Amino acid sequence: GGVFLAFPPAHPDGSRAVCAKSVDFDVFQDMVPKAIMCFLVLKIRENLQNELISKVYRPGEAERLMEESAELAERRKQLHDVVECLEAAGRIVDEVVTPR
């Protein structure tokens, strides 16, 4: 059946039915490409996610990805030393401000 919207009264030649059929066809013509794109996007997302997971969880790959570079390790050590110095400075300021 067709979708009959507020069309003018039907003519004896059946133009109302033809118009309703064209509305159905237009909706169908509009929805098919959208449905195909939705299907493709969902399939690509699923396959891409599976591919990425298989690459990350390859034997030995997780350990390699978790390794810290020498530069990053050095920077982390420097920042740790800075934090220790700032904490020590904070304790000194506290002692000066609030003497015992």
Side-chain angles (χ1 to χ4, degrees):
V3 175
F4 289 95
L5 302 174
F7 294 113
H11 295 295
D13 64 356
S15 61
R16 180 177 177 181
V18 171
C19 187
K21 293 292 183 192
S22 69
V23 168
D24 281 351
F25 183 74
D26 289 343
V27 169
F28 181 76
Q29 198 173 16
D30 185 50
M31 293 302 292
V32 168
K34 290 177 181 177
I36 291 171
M37 280 303 282
C38 182
F39 173 78
L40 289 174
V41 167
L42 291 175
K43 277 300 194 185
I44 289 171
R45 184 180 75 181
E46 180 182 315
N47 290 334
L48 183 61
Q49 187 174 12
N50 290 338
E51 184 69 22
L52 290 172
I53 288 172
S54 71
K55 297 264 189 229
V56 169
Y57 290 110
R58 238 183 313 185
E61 194 68 19
E63 290 81 16
R64 185 187 70 75
L65 291 172
M66 297 292 286
E67 288 176 1
E68 187 176 46
S69 68
E71 298 86 22
L72 190 57
E74 179 62 30
R75 181 74 176 138
R76 184 179 43 77
K77 184 186 175 308
Q78 289 171 352
L79 291 174
H80 183 267
D81 293 343
V82 168
V83 169
E84 285 182 344
C85 288
L86 290 172
E87 287 173 345
R91 286 190 296 273
I92 292 170
V93 168
D94 283 343
E95 288 176 12
V96 170
V97 172
T98 55
R100 294 180 189 186

